[in-house]
Amino acid sequence: MNRRPNGARPSRWPRRLALLCTGLLLLLLGAAAPAAAHAAVRATDPADGTVLRTAPRQVTLTFTESVGLLTDSFRVYDPANHRVRTGAAGHAPGRPDTARVPLPARLAQGTYTVAWRVVSADSHPVSGALTFSVGTRTATAASTAPDTTENPATAALYNIARYLAYLSVALLLGTAAFVAYCRPPKAAPLRTPVLAAAWTLIASTAALFVLRAPYEEGAPPTQALSLAALARTATTRPGELLLARLALLLLAATVVLVLRARRTRLPRRATLAVAAAVSVPLALTWAAAEHAAAGIQVPLAITSATLHLLAMGTWLGGLAALLRTLSRTPALPLSVPARFSRLALASVTVLAVTGVYQSWRGLGSWQTLTDTAYGRTLLAKLAAVAALLLAAACSRAWTTRTAGARTRPQVRTTTPARIPEPATGPPLPEQPSPPAPTPAPPPSLPLHHLRRSVLVEAAVAAMVLALTTLLTSTVPGRTATEAAQATATGTADAGIPTASVTTIPFDVGTPGGRGKVQITLDPGRVGTCSVQAVVYGPDGGLSTVPELRITLTLPARRIGPLDTRVTDRGGYWAADSFTLPLPGTWTMRATVRVSDVDQVTVSAPVRVAR
């Protein structure tokens, strides 16, 4: 193997590979479909799909956590798809988790559609729709979910900004911990990435604040600079936390500039105290705006999330700082990677403890690991963390083995030359005493193998950060399960059993080949029920398809698939009689054929009550 001579410029392929991985992750986050928000509907009044004898005076939605209202949170459409004039939406007295909107005094008979959009307590918008009928159910022309839930451009920009914020704060926290604890011989190589991370964090935080209003409302990014939108964002809790983050960053930058201008160097303990005073509140601006801000045990959850973020930044950001140091230092002392190994071990311990708690809090049961998007994303993150731990263990073992081989006592001694004694004559003059033993130079690492190992760790760490970003945008399994159970067991005040309405999106991958299927089981409980299905096209209007097949399977009891045998009724598909034998979480599969050769099968869970 050819070795790079001393003094040669380091190879640029690690930097190019890191930039390539970061770019691919940003494209993945930007192109990903919008994730589900974290507040879920616990109950509605009227219940979804209910037929009422008399018109209701208001529509009330109860969520699993407190929600914030937007300027246009509720839109009600009559059977002819005309918008109904309603009163101002608001919260129920003393109930921040309950939103309601007054309805007109008189409503004609037919099916009405209510589209809603609110902001959950953990700062993510959530939207949906429900239907109710007055007197009789009609074939309404209204779309149950008007296509204004997300703006792809706004969602992509917002997700990219969130990932860049996570990445930059990890680099800042990790580099500070690396310099303070591992004490590299030169900190100058880390100055450029620290400045880049600081400016990236400031820019991404400002972008999140500007994009906050259009992200909540599902509007295009061109509305981001509206003064009214910015003013409204500043009065919300997510906006206040983003402004607090900006203030902390600007304050820290001012302190650093003043110290550099005065050429003042703080003692090590004072530096650590200042870093802790900035990093802990900075981490709190994330913890108070994500999963920990809603649900059970909020104070403990916020503390756990803060420690989790600090440990994550220390480990992954310190890993990036070690990689940068390895690429810029010809001979690195053994003490630097050895100290980082101990720092990483402490960070992993904190991550394990806080991660177990947060997983329990978010999942609620083992079944949600595979039945919910949150659980599946968490499994993917655990797999990536396991790979990262394996790579870190290899680096730690190699470093320990090399350090042990190079730190054994080594002494350079000089063997005196043998001087023959003369047989006769005067004795020879005394020879000078041999020189004292010379200690071996301090051990340093051959960086070739360690640099490759750390580069692999950094690449996996970037994937862990991406999965963490996606995980914070996914509805927790506990919340999804509670909402599904509440929806399945709810009943309307009129005493008529609640229908189960499930909307499943589909995409066959051809132009105009996407849409959604709304499937109603009436009633959604054990026994005989009717099945109605309506197909909506990409524009949200009714669509006709040549074939539709709907089946239900109960995996827990190994029952099914049971074919509902729906038939085309001219604009919608229906089966007058279908029997659900057992309660539980069924898997509903819909096979939609949009042409002679294009079809797709999609599925969704359906809770069937007793």
Side-chain angles (χ1 to χ4, degrees), residues 307-407:
L307 293 176
H308 195 83
L309 179 60
L310 292 174
M312 179 271 297
T314 300
W315 184 23
L316 303 186
L319 190 65
L322 177 61
L323 179 62
R324 175 79 175 185
T325 303
L326 287 171
S327 63
R328 300 291 177 175
T329 305
L332 189 66
L334 283 172
S335 59
V336 175
R339 289 194 184 103
F340 178 75
S341 181
R342 294 192 292 269
L343 181 64
L345 180 61
S347 301
V348 169
T349 303
V350 176
L351 285 172
V353 175
T354 56
V356 168
Y357 169 74
Q358 292 177 191
S359 299
W360 166 83
R361 184 175 179 270
L363 290 172
S365 66
W366 290 107
Q367 186 178 0
T368 54
L369 269 175
T370 56
D371 291 352
T372 63
Y374 182 88
R376 291 187 290 269
T377 307
L378 180 60
L379 288 176
K381 179 183 176 180
L382 292 177
V385 171
L388 184 58
L389 289 174
L390 180 61
C394 294
S395 298
R396 179 181 175 86
W398 184 85
T399 302
T400 304
R401 184 170 59 251
T402 304
R406 289 175 168 262
T407 54

Side-chain angles (χ1 to χ4, degrees), residues 10-19 323 327 451 455:
S11 174
R12 294 185 177 181
W13 71 268
R15 181 192 306 173
R16 293 173 180 174
L17 180 60
L19 291 175
L323 179 62
S327 63
R451 187 182 295 115
L455 182 61

